[in-house]
Amino acid sequence: MARNELRPVIKLRSTAGTGFTYGTRKNRRNDPDRMTLRKFDPVAGRHVDFREER
């Protein structure tokens, strides 16, 4: 079964400058802009904002 482009796989990169990334899927209908989530960065050792990378 082919993957639907409505829910693409995206990379979330840390804004702390550590280079750590998370992979997730997003719904383009609900979030057409770049996504920002607050998640734990194990390199920095704290919660930081992760922005969608294109």
Side-chain angles (χ1 to χ4, degrees):
M1 190 161 99
R3 292 280 184 193
N4 190 352
E5 286 302 314
L6 183 61
R7 293 190 66 86
V9 175
I10 61 167
K11 266 191 193 175
L12 297 171
R13 184 170 297 273
S14 174
T15 58
T18 59
F20 190 78
T21 60
Y22 279 103
T24 188
R25 301 180 73 81
K26 78 167 193 174
N27 190 330
R28 282 203 178 152
R29 279 195 195 136
N30 296 340
D31 299 308
D33 299 330
R34 287 194 185 183
M35 199 177 217
T36 302
L37 295 176
R38 192 159 177 82
K39 295 177 75 68
F40 184 75
D41 187 340
V43 179
R46 59 191 171 96
H47 282 80
V48 295
D49 287 337
F50 280 74
R51 292 191 55 111
E52 178 182 342
E53 192 179 63
R54 299 223 178 195

